[in-house]
Amino acid sequence: MTHSDQEAACSATIAGGFEARFAELAGLLAPVFSRRDLRSNAMAYLRALLMPGVSGNCWALAQAVGHERPYRFQHLLSGAVWDEDAVRDAVRGFVARHLGEGGVLIFDETGDLKKGQATAGTGRQYTGTAGRIENAIVAVYAGYATAHGHALVDRELYVQAEWFADPERMRAAGFPDEHAFATKGQLARDQARRALDGGLAPAWGAGDEVYGRSSELREEFEQRGVGYVFAVGADFRITTSGHQKMRADQAIGLVEPPGWNRRSCGNGSKGRRLYDWAWIATASKRHHLLIRRKISNPSELAYYIAYVPEHYVCSLTDLIKVAGARWAIEDDFQDAKQSVGLDETQVRCYRAWKRHTALALAAYALLAVASILAKAAHPAPVLPDDPDRRAAPADCGMTALTVPEIQRLLTMTSVQRTSANQNIAFHLRWSDWRRRHQARARWHHYRARLALTA
């Protein structure tokens, strides 16, 4: 077999595997769209979202899939009869099937900056997208992560209390009359209920301080017999095993120098995420306070409340890994925004937002699962084991196929060649170069981190 034949076979394998997954998800979604034309439009919308560089408005999406006008997609989001929550549930089932049981259900929010005031949920509020208070919409998302990979499985728009004081504005934005105010913690609790009732089987929950301070969310996990490791603020109050009541930041005084344990909470793109950790027992034998200390700056601290159900057997290392799993949803936000336009809704009404994001979750799930399957068949990465070694090996291998790389390859295999030089083999060689370059950069990042912590 020639090199060109091998490249063509690689391209066919990638495209064929993805089409099989697309057909699988399309089968799960088929009952949601009772009419053939509606089902066709929904699948076309999915295809458009999967095309890189296509804006999230219906004009650009419709043009990308060859529609003469945007009206079919506009009707799909705003006027057609279908249940967007059933799409969400089908996506969750699809993700659960490929990621398996015993993972971590993760909660976080992300924003979408807006200029006007008409879009459902718009208001001045803090969003990590900008890193400050801006005019934006903010939504709470649930992600699911296992050792195989991770994807997004739920979403809900956060609506500030001021909206509910203006019923006319609520109606104009398309909110149903029964829509009630809910905190971000309550939205996460509802998502946890849907996930657990819908067959997802996580072993743990995780999230930042916004969710750690929600007693309702924590109680939901405890009542379901599911563990959690949530970040909490320095002012979070605990009762120690010695029956002393104190703030989390006061509990650090209980940690003796031997009580700090250097552990990794997961691998990042630049190496292991190493911190010093302390484990403090509380008056409840099932609850523990974790304190994380940055190695390079010991004054930088973070606090976590952990719940370990009675039937669990776990170590400090296990709890630290759950705490570190929270970063998976940040990767999901980045990839889903860049790849399928998760934050490019360009719609104003609440239902249209829910429908676009449901279909964006479906498109992202397809790419995430394709990446997971590719990773499972990929050789183990070449990583340094000696901090004194300066030169990288001659061959650092290649990184596994990521969501953005899979999207590029899928587009390349589905579009018609534009010239003799712009063919499939040409694009595959570029993909090969990128992944080898990334693998070499990864080796150097890991070596630098290894040297710092040696």
Side-chain angles (χ1 to χ4, degrees):
M1 180 182 287
T2 67
H3 186 62
S4 296
D5 290 338
Q6 290 174 341
E7 289 172 331
C10 174
S11 171
T13 299
I14 294 167
F18 183 84
E19 287 304 318
R21 300 289 76 77
F22 191 99
E24 177 189 349
L25 181 56
L28 295 174
L29 295 176
V32 180
F33 305 99
S34 56
R35 291 176 46 177
R36 182 182 301 175
D37 59 337
L38 186 59
R39 187 161 57 250
S40 175
N41 289 336
M43 295 305 103
Y45 196 92
L46 270 182
R47 295 281 187 188
L49 290 175
L50 290 164
M51 295 180 180
V54 179
S55 173
N57 68 66
C58 288
W59 292 18
L61 293 172
Q63 182 180 359
V65 293
H67 289 186
E68 295 292 333
R69 298 290 185 272
Y71 305 137
R72 279 187 276 175
F73 283 173
Q74 291 172 341
H75 179 66
L76 176 72
L77 296 184
S78 300
V81 178
W82 58 280
D83 185 357
E84 58 275 3
D85 291 337
V87 170
R88 173 204 64 204
D89 295 343
V91 171
R92 185 180 60 235
F94 176 77
V95 169
R97 180 181 300 179
H98 289 281
L99 268 67
E101 299 180 349
V104 184
L105 188 60
I106 312 163
F107 304 97
D108 202 358
E109 72 271 4
T110 189
D112 180 9
L113 302 183
K114 296 293 180 182
K115 293 184 177 180
Q117 296 295 319
T119 301
T122 299
R124 288 191 60 78
Q125 52 194 314
Y126 178 83
T127 170
T129 304
R132 59 184 180 272
I133 294 176
E134 285 282 358
N135 192 59
I137 62 172
V138 171
V140 174
Y141 284 80
Y144 184 59
T146 69
H148 303 294
H150 46 86
L152 299 170
V153 296
D154 205 344
R155 81 284 177 257
E156 188 51 82
L157 190 66
Y158 171 68
V159 185
Q160 294 171 293
E162 63 185 45
W163 271 80
F164 297 89
D166 189 346
E168 184 175 341
R169 187 186 184 197
M170 290 285 289
R171 283 192 292 272
F175 288 103
D177 292 339
E178 65 274 14
H179 196 90
F181 173 76
T183 66
K184 292 175 183 176
Q186 289 168 336
L187 294 176
R189 178 205 59 194
D190 293 342
Q191 291 178 357
R193 288 175 176 173
R194 288 195 289 264
L196 295 170
D197 291 340
L200 200 68
W204 301 94
D208 64 16
E209 292 180 29
V210 172
Y211 308 97
R213 74 168 66 105
S214 172
S215 59
E216 295 168 298
L217 178 59
R218 299 198 311 270
E219 289 170 4
E220 184 68 32
F221 277 97
E222 292 182 23
Q223 291 170 3
R224 301 288 192 120
V226 179
Y228 60 71
V229 181
F230 286 114
V232 293
D235 59 349
F236 186 83
R237 300 196 67 83
I238 65 165
T239 302
T240 69
S241 57
H243 300 287
Q244 293 177 277
K245 294 183 178 180
M246 61 180 63
R247 290 162 46 113
D249 58 353
Q250 294 172 326
I252 195 171
L254 302 175
V255 184
E256 299 291 339
W260 291 102
N261 302 268
R262 189 156 295 182
R263 297 283 191 278
S264 169
C265 57
N267 290 333
S269 60
K270 296 185 178 181
R272 295 189 300 163
R273 296 188 178 106
L274 282 167
Y275 295 90
D276 290 332
W277 296 81
W279 185 355
I280 295 177
T282 72
S284 164
K285 66 179 182 178
R286 312 315 309 176
H287 293 84
H288 309 274
L289 178 70
L290 304 184
I291 304 177
R292 189 191 74 193
R293 186 176 70 180
K294 191 172 183 179
I295 296 172
S296 60
N297 182 9
S299 64
E300 187 174 317
L301 303 167
Y303 307 90
Y304 298 83
I305 186 67
Y307 169 71
V308 182
E310 290 187 11
H311 59 286
Y312 281 27
V313 177
C314 68
S315 64
L316 173 62
T317 300
D318 295 324
L319 295 178
I320 289 170
K321 288 181 178 179
V322 176
R326 191 185 68 81
W327 274 293
I329 200 169
E330 300 288 352
D331 292 338
D332 285 330
F333 286 155
Q334 178 177 320
D335 285 343
K337 289 179 178 183
Q338 292 179 352
S339 300
V340 299
L342 181 68
D343 61 340
E344 295 181 357
T345 56
Q346 298 194 21
V347 294
R348 288 188 173 183
C349 290
Y350 176 58
R351 169 167 274 191
W353 177 88
K354 289 186 72 178
R355 289 182 165 184
H356 169 82
T357 52
L359 291 169
L361 290 188
Y364 180 66
L366 285 165
L367 293 172
V369 167
S371 176
I372 289 164
L373 296 175
K375 180 182 177 182
H378 194 76
V382 178
L383 299 175
D385 55 10
D386 182 358
D388 295 325
R389 178 174 178 174
R390 307 297 298 178
D395 184 5
C396 290
M398 289 192 295
T399 57
L401 286 169
T402 61
V403 164
E405 195 66 32
I406 284 176
Q407 188 180 40
R408 292 190 195 100
L409 293 176
L410 287 172
T411 303
M412 171 268 297
T413 57
S414 62
V415 298
Q416 189 160 357
R417 300 176 186 182
T418 56
S419 71
N421 294 326
Q422 293 283 329
N423 56 24
I424 290 176
F426 173 82
H427 290 289
L428 283 171
R429 287 194 295 273
W430 263 104
S431 176
D432 182 275
W433 182 87
R434 276 192 297 268
R435 293 165 62 201
R436 289 189 180 279
H437 183 78
Q438 290 162 356
R440 182 167 292 274
R442 176 181 61 193
W443 189 95
H444 284 286
H445 285 313
Y446 271 66
R447 192 209 63 80
R449 186 68 60 87
L450 192 64
L452 286 173
T453 57

